Amino acid sequence: MSPTPQNAPVQYKWSEAKSLLPKQAQCERGPTGALVPDSSGKTDHIAVVYDEGDTPPEITIKKVSGSVHTVLADGVAVAVVARATGRAPSVSDVLLVERRIYS
């Protein structure tokens, strides 16, 4: 049974997200990393936004040093995560978002 929004673990409450990308990045093409702030202020999230119709990128996580990790989309770095405490990010923590490109 999948969790409902009310009882989902904090890291999966995407409905609490405030925004995905800054306005200037909304018309850029190709995979883009995005920090999704949690409106409750407890846990921010990572999203990779890719273009509508493209194959979703393969997400990998590479440890840089200590608690610093790089999120890669098809081998290209799209985010760097540094945590003071807690576990390292995993691929399942990254939300893939397909976006429509207006030309």
Side-chain angles (χ1 to χ4, degrees):
M1 178 177 188
S2 62
T4 63
Q6 295 79 22
N7 67 7
V10 171
Q11 68 266 27
Y12 296 115
K13 287 191 176 182
W14 293 103
S15 61
E16 307 245 342
K18 294 178 184 174
S19 64
L20 283 178
L21 296 171
K23 266 203 176 305
Q24 68 271 20
Q26 291 179 355
C27 58
E28 295 178 10
R29 298 189 65 81
T32 306
L35 176 65
V36 184
D38 182 346
S39 62
S40 69
K42 294 180 183 174
T43 306
D44 293 336
H45 307 287
I46 305 162
V48 173
V49 182
Y50 65 98
D51 300 336
E52 180 180 39
D54 287 355
T55 302
E58 178 184 3
I59 304 299
T60 54
I61 308 286
K62 181 179 177 186
K63 183 175 181 176
V64 176
S65 67
S67 62
V68 179
H69 295 79
T70 302
V71 178
L72 301 115
D74 289 339
V76 177
V78 294
V80 175
V81 179
R83 296 186 178 198
T85 61
R87 63 178 183 73
S90 69
V91 172
S92 64
D93 293 329
V94 179
L95 175 67
L96 288 174
V97 178
E98 184 180 59
R99 69 167 162 224
R100 177 172 290 172
I101 299 292
Y102 297 99
S103 39

